Amino acid sequence: MNRNVMITCALTGAGDTVGRSEHVPVTPEQIAESGIAAARSGATIVHIHVRDPETGVGSRDVALYREVVERIRASDVDVIINTTAGMGGDLVLDPADPTTFLDGTDLVRGVDRLPHVEELLPDICTLDCGSLNFGEGSLVYVSTPDMLREGAKKIQELGVRCEMEIFDTGHLWFARTLVEEGLIDAPAMYQLCMGIPYGAPADPMTLMAMVQQLPEDAVWASFALGPMQMPWVAQSVLLGGHVRVGLEDNLYLAKGVKATNAQLVERARTIVESMGAKVATPDEGREILQLKGRS
């Protein structure tokens, strides 16, 4: 069991959730304010996507990331900043002609997913460690071994901690390969992402099997979608990991009760503390992850 637990709050994501909850932050100001509120509620880390303020669709616009990160850094809260680097991997195929790419495709090289990381130098950025049939329809998330090696090397050169996002068991195999090849600096950080169709299911035995494949010195966290979000907090802590909650992965505090990011962090904190563990402060999180101090 983990006795000093980092809580990550994934603030908004890029999914089609804006119309489903008024609490999903869209503008840079809203995303930053939601992150600040989450930090005040006990989040050790905030995980940041940005959205087009006009449409609510996920974006790779560096200016939007800049405004969010600068607002959080200028605030009176201390929190570890984790930006996604997963945008730019979406490939939507025409099922009648798979050589034709449909609207919604946003596919670029691995390093071209990193301009905001290069400019802003967050504490952490993510690396999605494999391709995946992403839900129903014809959307494929593309992250090839060549793209991943290129991206991991660039992140390493920037001195940013890499959080490897693991959506299935093969992704974990490749993540360990990146570590063995020296492309991921110690301590290697793994995020086990459960319940995303059609990756690893949100099943306790699957989580346990994946945890047993992690290196002994790994720093790892896990999360699951929707109603499994809070049970997964307990699952992760019991198996020795850290946790992630937030509106990217779940919109509800209870059946029919829409949540804010701060409320989800508060609920996760209650679970962690009720299990006899404590929530790591940002400074403790920096020590766990061997990060530099707050700038």
Side-chain angles (χ1 to χ4, degrees), residues 143-269:
S143 195
T144 67
D146 285 345
M147 289 177 175
L148 287 164
R149 287 187 171 96
E150 183 182 43
K153 183 177 179 181
K154 181 65 173 180
I155 294 166
Q156 187 178 57
E157 290 171 350
L158 292 172
V160 174
R161 176 68 64 223
C162 180
E163 181 184 76
M164 295 179 288
E165 304 283 290
I166 311 299
F167 294 89
D168 212 344
T169 53
H171 297 185
L172 179 53
W173 181 1
F174 189 76
R176 292 194 60 170
T177 299
L178 289 176
V179 174
E180 291 164 2
E181 292 176 356
L183 291 169
I184 303 294
D185 290 335
M189 186 181 183
Y190 299 76
Q191 179 73 257
L192 307 180
C193 313
M194 315 294 286
I196 291 89
Y198 287 98
D203 170 77
M205 297 306 293
T206 303
L207 177 62
M208 182 176 292
M210 294 175 77
V211 170
Q212 290 174 338
Q213 295 178 53
L214 291 168
E216 288 186 7
D217 59 350
V219 176
W220 68 273
S222 183
F223 70 89
L225 300 188
M228 292 301 289
Q229 184 172 85
M230 292 306 162
W232 226 250
V233 170
Q235 295 276 6
S236 298
V237 173
L238 281 172
L239 289 176
H242 302 275
V243 304
R244 168 171 140 172
V245 295
L247 294 174
E248 176 172 349
D249 309 317
N250 166 48
L251 300 178
Y252 293 92
L253 194 64
K255 187 177 178 71
V257 181
K258 292 177 182 176
T260 65
N261 278 311
Q263 288 172 329
L264 293 171
V265 171
E266 289 168 0
R267 179 65 59 83
R269 182 169 196 154

Side-chain angles (χ1 to χ4, degrees), residues 77 123 226 244:
V77 304
D123 303 291
R244 168 171 140 172

Side-chain angles (χ1 to χ4, degrees), residues 103-124:
D103 288 346
T105 294
D106 178 31
L107 184 60
V108 296
R109 292 172 56 204
V111 292
D112 292 335
R113 305 175 193 186
L114 296 169
H116 61 297
V117 177
E118 184 171 9
E119 177 177 326
L120 300 171
L121 297 178
D123 303 291
I124 304 165

